[in-house]
Amino acid sequence: MHNSREIVIVFQIGASLGDTIVSIPVHREIARRHPNAERYLLTSFPIGKMVTPATILDSLRLLSGILEYPMPLRGFNNIRKLYQKIARLRPDYLYYVGAETKTANLIRHYCFFRACGISRIRGVPWSHDVRLPLEIEKGNLWESEASRLLRSIKATTVPGPPPEDDRLLNLSQEERTKAAHALSQSPDLKRFVAISVGGKLTINDWGNAAWSEFLSDMSSR
């Protein structure tokens, strides 16, 4: 028997800590559009000690549950199990959230979700201007990923920072206390910038020369 409540699936695979945080404004926009719906995140489960998307989004009360998308999705049994899991929910909407530049993957995902019985699919980046960040200043400044995602679901039509309230992490007092304690261990630390130079994709590796140039420029400012 179909649940009388509206069912919404948010499809976001490969989401690590950073990917999840920049997508929070999109999840909040989806929650505003479907305030009384059951909202499920369909995502690949992280490997090792990576922070799960649910860890972030659950604390913001943006999810009703989480569904695993096996990576890579291969083999008849895995595909059948995922199909049954989604079809059993009988979703009313699916939102495609994330970065995908290969048209073949978009078509494959779209056809699979249509086969699962989902007719209202939002946010698939079919066009080039939605698939990649827009250039704001020639050769110097590009749109943020959060802005691109909001454009992909037609929450906005022009690039720009999401509303500040939509970016809040809603940290608990316990979390703030732990952070304050960690910072107190370095009493000389007044103002700082935290930088992660790692990345699981080769394209995210700037190289030592580029990092040196960036850090020197930032330090001078």
Side-chain angles (χ1 to χ4, degrees), residues 26-140:
V26 178
H27 286 278
R28 283 199 166 108
E29 171 63 22
I30 294 171
R32 281 193 292 268
R33 293 181 182 184
H34 310 276
N36 300 316
E38 292 183 10
R39 297 183 298 274
Y40 294 90
L41 179 66
L42 176 61
T43 185
S44 52
F45 283 11
I47 300 172
K49 296 182 179 180
M50 289 176 61
V51 177
T52 67
T55 303
I56 305 296
L57 300 175
D58 275 350
S59 64
L60 301 178
R61 299 184 179 181
L62 293 172
L63 295 178
S64 302
I66 187 166
L67 306 172
E68 181 179 7
Y69 183 95
M71 286 288 288
L73 182 60
R74 293 174 182 166
F76 175 77
N77 285 336
N78 283 336
I79 296 174
R80 178 177 57 83
K81 287 178 182 178
L82 181 59
Y83 168 83
Q84 292 174 337
K85 193 183 302 182
I86 295 175
R88 197 177 298 122
L89 282 174
R90 297 179 63 184
D92 299 286
Y93 288 89
L94 181 137
Y95 284 86
Y96 198 110
V97 176
E100 179 56 70
T101 58
K102 296 181 179 179
T103 302
N105 288 343
L106 294 175
I107 294 174
R108 179 167 57 88
H109 290 147
Y110 181 81
C111 291
F112 175 75
F113 293 131
R114 285 302 303 265
C116 290
I118 309 173
S119 59
R120 288 174 284 194
I121 300 175
R122 307 288 186 262
V124 182
W126 294 118
S127 61
H128 183 79
D129 67 317
V130 177
R131 196 174 298 181
L132 297 172
L134 293 179
E135 192 174 23
I136 299 174
E137 293 180 11
K138 187 67 175 178
N140 187 50

Side-chain angles (χ1 to χ4, degrees), residues 173-204:
Q173 187 55 51
E174 180 184 3
E175 290 169 325
R176 292 178 181 276
T177 300
K178 287 182 178 179
H181 175 72
L183 293 175
S184 69
Q185 304 304 302
S186 301
D188 296 331
L189 193 63
K190 302 299 181 184
R191 300 176 64 193
F192 65 92
V193 175
I195 297 175
S196 172
V197 300
K200 57 181 178 288
L201 300 178
T202 303
I203 195 173
N204 292 337

